[in-house]
Structure formats: C-alpha cells, structure tokens
Amino acid sequence: MSSFSSKLSALAKDELPEGAVAIGARVSTEEMAKGDSIENQIEACRNFCADHPDLFGDREFRIYSDPGHTGTTFDRPGINGLRADKGKVKIACYLVRDLKRLGRNAKEGLAFLDDMTAANIQIIDIGQSAIDYRTTKGRKIYTDTMSGAEAECGIYRDSSIQGQTRRAQRGQWKGGPPPYAYDLDAGVLLPVVGPPTELIQKMAALYEEYKSDFRVLTKLHKQGVKYAPTAQRICFDRDRARRGFVSRRPQDAGKPLLITLRWIADVLKNPVYAGYVPAPRAVNDLTVGFKPDLVLPDGRRYFKSEHEVIIPLPQWEKIQAIRRGQARTKAQVGRASPAFLLQHLLHCGCCHLPLHVGASNSGSGKTIRHYACKDMKRLGSLSKCTVRRVPAEAMETVVMRFLSDLPKRPDIVQEITALASENRAGLTQNLSDRLALLEKERAALERTKKKALERMLEFTGKKIGAEMEQCYIEAQAKLDTVMLEMDDLRRKREAAHAAAPSAQVVVSALSDFGKLAAQLPASGRKELVQLLVAEIVVHRLKHRSLPQFKHLPASVSILKLDITLNPCGLHLVSSPSKGSTAVKTKGSQSKLVPTTLIVEIRQLGSKGNVARLLEPFATEAEVYAFPKETSVEEVARHQHPLWRMEAMVGMRAKGMLKKEIAAKFDKTAPWVTYHLRLRALQPGIQQKLKSAPLSVLGQFGLVCLMKLAAMEPKLQETTFDEAFRKALHTD
C-alpha cells in the first residue's frame, strides 16, 4: 500500500502532462463467455480515475476497445486508432485494467511501449499503478508480464489443439458451427432431414453427370433453385440459446444463402458429407502422433466418423477424382506484368468494360494466361457478358502477326500516311513532350554527376571515393545515351515540321516494328505494342448463325477484333529505349486508324489453343499453333530454379554481369543473386531433384532451396532427405 501511495504522490508531484486519458479494453471470444466484458474493464478504469480527481480531474476520456480480438497481435482496431490519434490529439496516458488486456505478444508489446514513450504517453496498469514502465525496472516487469501472458496463450492453444484432435479422432465434431445441412447434438453430427440434404445429394448427382460446377449451377437455376433452403438446427440452436450465445455477425442472421460456384465447389469438396470430421490444421508436439485417415492437398486433416453421410463415400471419391483431373489453381499475376502484351488495351464489346489479366495452373502444371471481362470476374456465373474470357496467347499471337504484316497492307499504309500528314502538330507535340521528359532526366543526371565528383575529390584514396568514382562513370554513360536520344528526337521534330512523312517512311517504320518485336524482351515488346495500338475492342460472334462460318463446329470461338492504331506512335518505333515512356496525343489531336479482324480460336486440349485469322487477309492454311514442339513437362522443368541456376552459371562463366543476366529474364539483379546461391547445394541433392517427378520437384521452390543452401552440408542432407520423403509420400 505504501508503494501505491508513493506512486500516486509522485504522479501528483510531477503531474501528468496535459491531454486526454485513453482507456484500452480487449476481450477474446473465450473471455466473453466468462463475463470479462469490455464494459467491466472501462468501468474499472473510470472508477480508478474517479478515485484520484487530483490527477485526472475533468480530463476528456477516449475509449479504444477491441472486442473479440486476440491479444497475440497488436494490429487491432483499438491500438491502430490510438496510434492514429496520438499525432492529432494530445494524450497524457493510456489506462488498462491489467497488461494481459493490452496484449499477449512480448515483441510487439515492447515496440508498442517504445512507441508510446516516444509520444510521451504513459502506460498505466490500474492493478499495478505503482510501476512506471518507462524505467529500466518497470520495463523488465513489463517484458516479463508480456512473456508470461504469451506463454499462457501458447499453453492454452496447445491444449485446445490437443483436445480438438482427440475429439476428431473419436469421430466427434471439433467445435464451432456444423456445416450446412447438419445439426449437432453432444458433439455428434446429425443430418437435417428434408430440402437441405436433398439439395446436396442433387448437386453431387449433377456434378457426377456433367463434371462441371457451372453446369450444376445452371441446372439448379433452370429448376428455380437460386438460394439454399434454410437448415433448421434444433439441437445446436437450443444449446447456443442455453449458453447465451450472441452472434458476432448479427447482420447475417436469417439472410438467405445464395448458391454460387464457390459454394458448390466447397460443398462437393468437403469430406464431412462423406463421413469424415476435421482435425485442427495446426500440429504440435502433443498431436504429432495422431495419424489422420485423410489428408487433403492443402494440408487439412480428417478422421473417419460414424455419423450419417449425405454423399456416399464411393460417389464422393469419384467426384474428387474428376476434380483432380480438371484441377486449376490461380497463378500470381502482377498489376503490370510484362508477360501480357495487350494489358490495358483490350475492352469488352459487350459490357464496354476493360479486360483484366489473369492466369491459372492446369493439372499438368502448365500456366494458362487469359484476359477476362471485368463484369465476368466480378459477378461470375451471374454475368451476362458474351466475351467472358479469351486466351492470352492466342490473342497476342494474332495481334503481333497482324502488326508485323502491316507493311503488306497498302490500304492501311495509305490511311496512316494521310492521317500523319493532317496531324503533323500531333507528331511534333509528342516529340516535344518526349524531349521535355528527357531534359528532366538529363538535369537529374547532371546533378548526380556533380555530387559524385565533389564527394570523389573529398574522399580521395578512401573506399567511398572509389565508389563515388564508379557512380560518376555510370552517370556519365547514362548522360551520353540521353544526349544521343535527345539529338535524334530533335532531328525527327525538325523533319516533322518540314514535311509530312511519305508512304515509304511509314512502311519503313512499320517494318522496324516487326524487326524490333523479335529482338526485344517481353517488357520492351509490350511498350512497342502500347505505342502503336490505341485500343482493341473484342466481340464474340454467334458464328452458327452466320453463313460464312456455319461450317465451323460449335466448340470454336469466333472473335471480332476492332483494332484502333495510333499513327502518332510511329516516330518512337525506330528507336525505343527500354525505360522510355510512351506519350500519346491528347484529346482532339489524336488521329486514329480503325481496322477489323475476324479470328478463330480453337481449343486443342492439353496442347493449348490454335488461332487463325479468317479475315481480312489470312488464308485457310495460315494457322498459328502453340506451344511449340517442347513438351509441357520439359518446359516446366526448365523453369525450375535449379535449371535457371545452371543457365546463369554458364552466363557468368562467359563474363556476363548480373544486371545483364537479369535483363534476359526480365528480372532484377537480386533475383539472379538468389539463384546463384543455389550453387552451395550438395551435388547429390541436385541430382536427386533433377531425376524427381515433376509433382515432387514443384514442392522445392526458390525460397526452400535457398534455405537448404545456407545450411551446413550434413544438415543439408538430413533436412532434404526428410522433406523429399514427405514430398514423395504426398505425391
């Protein structure tokens, strides 16, 4: 009591700084059930302030609460709100009922303490108000308390995982709401007799017949079934009412469940409907000995149960076999991926919306790129779009062939020449804009060169002086390149002022396009296309109703491409730089050349797509097929980091720099460094990986191999052998 009084007297003597009093409160879901509510914590802090009016007086109170949030992270709405407000509002102190309400993470807790101390905000635990956590002793107590709370959380989590795993092993539900069409009575799943069970059985039968989630959804819609019937859970709802359960999402209560493609896929893949119960995904030392009866590819584990099934096990296994044969997984696609040449150029002729890029990995491991309408990606099967999705490789092949063959089209050459004659102002404006950008770049390089020279003279004979000398040389080389490009653009601007380009000049520029497109990497080729093409509008034709295409099978897609060319981009075609920025003409200055293509795209199973130009100048024999003669497995193997590392080692042996190797792969120099680190792998490990099946090889990515390469040789071999056995077992 004496220490408590001395603390309060010290506070009264020094006085808290001016500002509001922040009150923090947090409860997790388990603690809500125990009655340790947010309101109780806030009331306790207010009572503490009322008992000491000389310290807190009539200060403003600001509440930062985190109901239902775990303390293992400090990335919570209440804490984030406090961090945001500390720069706007003067806050004197932050009150909590005890430190466990603040959090259960020692590392993040110390960072939070440093953050509050830097902002002159004192953390006060009203249960131990005699401790000043800003002092060395107080900081140690704070750290010990946080570490103990974190350990308690870990112990509780481990025991919870063990208990849930034991329940699953006995065939009981691990906890939480049961899946759709099931009721829960004393840990045992009971099917809800009636429409919910019949709906799932109907979905399984339809999928077994049509082998497509979309066809299942279409059939259900034709039968007037758009929402899943409400499952009346008598036992589970009664038990929740007895425990006084309050829904965390009251806005969803009673809302009808819309049947979507995602929901159909989740239901048909769920092993619970075939007689299994799930175990926790997490595995610790207490549960490592439990051997599950079923392990899904994503790592989820299931045990066999005796509850009544809705989908018979043989039928469910047949459905999973069908799905595995059609498996596609999302591939990562960047917002500005150089692999997509027509990105930002394609628009849907049906919805008048842009086509977004996307990719998926087929079951054989091949990456399939596509352009999809924004409306279809947003609404899925409910979209009315006719274009929907088009294969990227087929579109790019046809468009690049069309652009390369433009010099053979005298009608387009003549139209471009005429528009360029009318639009000399647009050409010169583009050149002037490009010159202005280069002038800014030149000025920045001059400043860099000047600073490097000053520091080089200041630190002559030292290491930093040598680095500045290298920086000076590189800046001078870039400056020379920029000056040459500026001189070239000035000559072109003078020529554009003097006279309009002739047909020969246009043909020459278009011929340069085809040559450069074959030489440049993907990023440079994409920039080249963006210069010459203003827009491509895609329409899907109902070709069975058109006489000239009626002989083609129904599985063929006939696309009409309205391509709009930008003749003002031709002045950059003859000398594009990798880092240049395409400058298009503004508003009414832009004179464009529209043209139309009719394209046939035919799916050939695992061999990819075949594209053919039907109109206006392609013959029946002109067929562009891809991929090339290389097999899918061979291509996938050569894209693995191990093969890329060998190729990079060969390039380094020829004297190539890392940035030159990176340019060949359209990557950065650190990416090359990461691959070169794989040379530390033991020869036996490399040999095993090269002879491994493709499915096993895919589980050893770049990050995994880098971690292995950083280990000692013996540890490398033991770690790899264990991971390799697991990969073979999974395969």
Side-chain angles (χ1 to χ4, degrees), residues 121-147:
I121 299 175
Q122 184 174 350
I123 298 177
I124 300 176
D125 176 359
I126 64 173
Q128 296 180 338
S129 58
I131 302 174
D132 186 355
Y133 296 118
R134 297 171 296 182
T135 64
T136 304
K137 183 178 179 181
R139 188 181 181 87
K140 183 179 184 305
I141 296 172
Y142 180 92
T143 306
D144 293 344
T145 307
M146 281 286 174
S147 301

Coordinates of all heavy atoms in Angstrom, one line a residue, residues 121-147:
I121 N 3.4 9.3 -23.9 CA 2.2 8.8 -23.4 C 2.5 7.7 -22.4 O 3.2 6.7 -22.7 CB 1.3 8.2 -24.5 CG1 0.9 9.3 -25.5 CG2 0.0 7.5 -23.9 CD1 0.2 8.8 -26.7
Q122 N 2.1 7.8 -21.1 CA 2.4 6.9 -20.1 C 1.4 5.8 -20.0 O 0.2 6.0 -20.0 CB 2.5 7.6 -18.7 CG 3.0 6.7 -17.6 CD 3.2 7.4 -16.3 OE1 3.1 8.7 -16.3 NE2 3.4 6.7 -15.2
I123 N 1.9 4.5 -20.0 CA 1.0 3.3 -19.9 C 0.9 3.0 -18.4 O 1.8 2.9 -17.7 CB 1.6 2.1 -20.6 CG1 1.7 2.4 -22.1 CG2 0.7 0.9 -20.4 CD1 2.4 1.3 -22.9
I124 N -0.4 3.0 -17.9 CA -0.7 2.7 -16.5 C -1.6 1.5 -16.4 O -2.7 1.5 -17.0 CB -1.4 4.0 -15.9 CG1 -0.5 5.2 -15.9 CG2 -1.8 3.7 -14.4 CD1 -1.1 6.5 -15.4
D125 N -1.1 0.5 -15.7 CA -1.9 -0.7 -15.3 C -2.5 -0.4 -14.0 O -1.8 -0.2 -12.9 CB -1.0 -1.9 -15.2 CG -1.7 -3.1 -14.8 OD1 -2.9 -3.1 -14.5 OD2 -1.0 -4.2 -14.7
I126 N -3.9 -0.2 -13.9 CA -4.5 0.2 -12.7 C -4.4 -0.8 -11.6 O -4.5 -0.5 -10.4 CB -6.0 0.6 -12.9 CG1 -6.8 -0.7 -13.3 CG2 -6.1 1.6 -14.0 CD1 -8.3 -0.5 -13.4
G127 N -4.1 -2.1 -11.9 CA -3.8 -3.1 -10.9 C -2.5 -3.0 -10.3 O -2.2 -3.5 -9.2
Q128 N -1.5 -2.3 -11.0 CA -0.1 -2.2 -10.5 C 0.3 -0.7 -10.8 O 1.3 -0.5 -11.6 CB 0.8 -3.2 -11.1 CG 0.5 -4.6 -10.8 CD 1.5 -5.6 -11.4 OE1 2.1 -5.3 -12.4 NE2 1.6 -6.8 -10.8
S129 N -0.4 0.2 -10.4 CA -0.2 1.6 -10.7 C 1.1 2.1 -10.1 O 1.6 3.2 -10.5 CB -1.4 2.5 -10.3 OG -1.6 2.4 -8.9
A130 N 1.7 1.4 -9.2 CA 3.0 1.9 -8.6 C 4.2 1.7 -9.6 O 5.3 2.1 -9.2 CB 3.2 1.1 -7.3
I131 N 4.0 1.0 -10.7 CA 5.1 0.7 -11.6 C 5.1 1.7 -12.7 O 4.1 1.9 -13.4 CB 5.0 -0.8 -12.1 CG1 5.0 -1.7 -10.9 CG2 6.1 -1.1 -13.0 CD1 4.7 -3.2 -11.3
D132 N 6.3 2.3 -12.9 CA 6.5 3.2 -14.1 C 7.2 2.4 -15.2 O 8.4 2.0 -15.0 CB 7.3 4.4 -13.7 CG 7.4 5.4 -14.8 OD1 6.9 5.1 -15.9 OD2 8.0 6.5 -14.6
Y133 N 6.5 2.0 -16.2 CA 7.1 1.1 -17.2 C 8.1 1.8 -18.1 O 8.7 1.2 -19.0 CB 6.0 0.5 -18.1 CG 5.0 -0.3 -17.4 CD1 3.7 0.0 -17.2 CD2 5.5 -1.5 -16.7 CE1 2.8 -0.8 -16.5 CE2 4.6 -2.3 -16.0 CZ 3.3 -2.0 -15.9 OH 2.4 -2.8 -15.2
R134 N 8.3 3.1 -17.9 CA 9.4 3.8 -18.7 C 10.8 3.6 -18.1 O 11.8 3.9 -18.7 CB 9.0 5.3 -18.8 CG 7.7 5.6 -19.5 CD 7.3 7.0 -19.4 NE 7.0 7.4 -18.0 CZ 6.6 8.6 -17.6 NH1 6.4 9.6 -18.5 NH2 6.4 8.9 -16.3
T135 N 10.8 3.2 -16.8 CA 12.1 3.0 -16.2 C 12.7 1.6 -16.5 O 12.0 0.8 -17.1 CB 12.0 3.1 -14.6 OG1 11.1 2.1 -14.2 CG2 11.4 4.4 -14.2
T136 N 13.9 1.4 -16.2 CA 14.6 0.1 -16.5 C 13.9 -1.0 -15.8 O 13.6 -2.1 -16.3 CB 16.1 0.1 -16.2 OG1 16.7 1.2 -16.8 CG2 16.8 -1.1 -16.6
K137 N 13.6 -0.8 -14.5 CA 13.0 -1.9 -13.7 C 11.5 -2.1 -14.2 O 11.1 -3.3 -14.3 CB 12.9 -1.4 -12.2 CG 12.3 -2.5 -11.3 CD 12.4 -2.0 -9.8 CE 11.7 -3.0 -8.9 NZ 11.8 -2.6 -7.5
G138 N 10.8 -1.0 -14.5 CA 9.5 -1.2 -15.0 C 9.4 -1.9 -16.3 O 8.5 -2.7 -16.6
R139 N 10.4 -1.6 -17.2 CA 10.5 -2.2 -18.5 C 10.7 -3.7 -18.3 O 10.1 -4.5 -19.1 CB 11.6 -1.6 -19.3 CG 11.6 -2.0 -20.8 CD 12.8 -1.4 -21.5 NE 12.9 -1.8 -22.9 CZ 12.2 -1.2 -23.8 NH1 11.4 -0.1 -23.6 NH2 12.3 -1.6 -25.1
K140 N 11.5 -4.1 -17.3 CA 11.7 -5.6 -17.1 C 10.4 -6.2 -16.7 O 10.1 -7.3 -17.1 CB 12.8 -5.8 -16.1 CG 13.2 -7.2 -15.8 CD 14.3 -7.4 -14.8 CE 14.7 -8.9 -14.7 NZ 13.5 -9.7 -14.3
I141 N 9.7 -5.6 -15.7 CA 8.4 -6.1 -15.3 C 7.4 -6.2 -16.4 O 6.7 -7.2 -16.6 CB 7.9 -5.3 -14.1 CG1 8.8 -5.4 -12.9 CG2 6.5 -5.7 -13.8 CD1 8.4 -4.4 -11.8
Y142 N 7.4 -5.2 -17.3 CA 6.5 -5.2 -18.4 C 6.9 -6.4 -19.4 O 6.0 -7.1 -19.8 CB 6.7 -3.9 -19.2 CG 5.9 -3.7 -20.4 CD1 4.6 -3.1 -20.3 CD2 6.3 -4.1 -21.6 CE1 3.9 -2.9 -21.5 CE2 5.6 -3.9 -22.8 CZ 4.4 -3.3 -22.7 OH 3.6 -3.1 -23.8
T143 N 8.2 -6.6 -19.6 CA 8.6 -7.7 -20.5 C 8.2 -9.0 -19.9 O 7.7 -9.9 -20.7 CB 10.1 -7.6 -20.8 OG1 10.4 -6.3 -21.2 CG2 10.6 -8.6 -21.8
D144 N 8.5 -9.2 -18.6 CA 8.2 -10.5 -18.0 C 6.7 -10.8 -18.0 O 6.3 -11.9 -18.3 CB 8.7 -10.5 -16.6 CG 10.2 -10.5 -16.5 OD1 10.9 -10.7 -17.5 OD2 10.8 -10.1 -15.4
T145 N 5.9 -9.7 -17.8 CA 4.4 -9.9 -17.8 C 3.9 -10.3 -19.2 O 3.1 -11.2 -19.3 CB 3.7 -8.6 -17.3 OG1 4.3 -8.2 -16.0 CG2 2.2 -8.9 -17.2
M146 N 4.4 -9.6 -20.2 CA 4.0 -9.9 -21.6 C 4.5 -11.3 -22.0 O 3.7 -12.0 -22.6 CB 4.7 -8.9 -22.5 CG 3.9 -7.6 -22.6 SD 2.4 -7.7 -23.5 CE 1.7 -6.1 -23.2
S147 N 5.7 -11.7 -21.6 CA 6.2 -13.0 -22.0 C 5.4 -14.1 -21.3 O 5.0 -15.1 -21.9 CB 7.7 -13.2 -21.6 OG 8.5 -12.2 -22.2

